[in-house]
Amino acid sequence: MAVQAYLRRDGEGPTDGIRVGFTTSKKVGNAVIRNRVRRRLRVVADALLAESGKPRHDYVLVGRTAAKDRDFQDLLADLQNALKQIERRAAAREARKRQQPAREQQSAS
């Protein structure tokens, strides 16, 4: 599975809460298989996003072919790891933003 996250800005929908979307492409299989994958992702999201998701965020879970046969505990672990990776990337991005003005001040002196 792939997970995407987006922090809503002011005026872009509800100011609190988490929104979740699910998608699968036709590469995953026919409609029955795609729906099964989306249902499995929905259960995993319900189990984890209430406690691990960030408020004011939109999440999109993209179902892949392997998700149809993957063990449920492994799916839970996959989503948990994806959320941690998203958080690490966001923290690194914020750290770069904080360092950038300091660099600009040093180069201006």
Side-chain angles (χ1 to χ4, degrees), residues 7-19 55-57:
L7 173 62
R8 290 189 304 269
R9 294 178 178 88
D10 294 334
E12 291 182 341
T15 57
D16 59 350
I18 297 170
R19 296 191 300 187
R56 293 183 49 204
H57 277 72

Side-chain angles (χ1 to χ4, degrees), residues 28-48:
V28 172
N30 63 22
V32 173
I33 303 244
R34 291 193 310 270
N35 287 330
R36 181 182 307 141
V37 169
R38 280 193 296 267
R39 280 194 308 269
R40 295 188 85 212
L41 293 179
R42 191 171 294 120
V43 171
V44 169
D46 287 344
L48 286 179

Side-chain angles (χ1 to χ4, degrees), residues 57-76:
H57 277 72
D58 295 337
Y59 294 95
V60 177
L61 278 66
V62 181
R64 303 286 189 221
T65 305
K68 69 181 177 184
D69 298 320
R70 192 140 170 90
D71 184 62
F72 184 73
Q73 295 302 319
D74 291 338
L75 280 176
L76 285 170

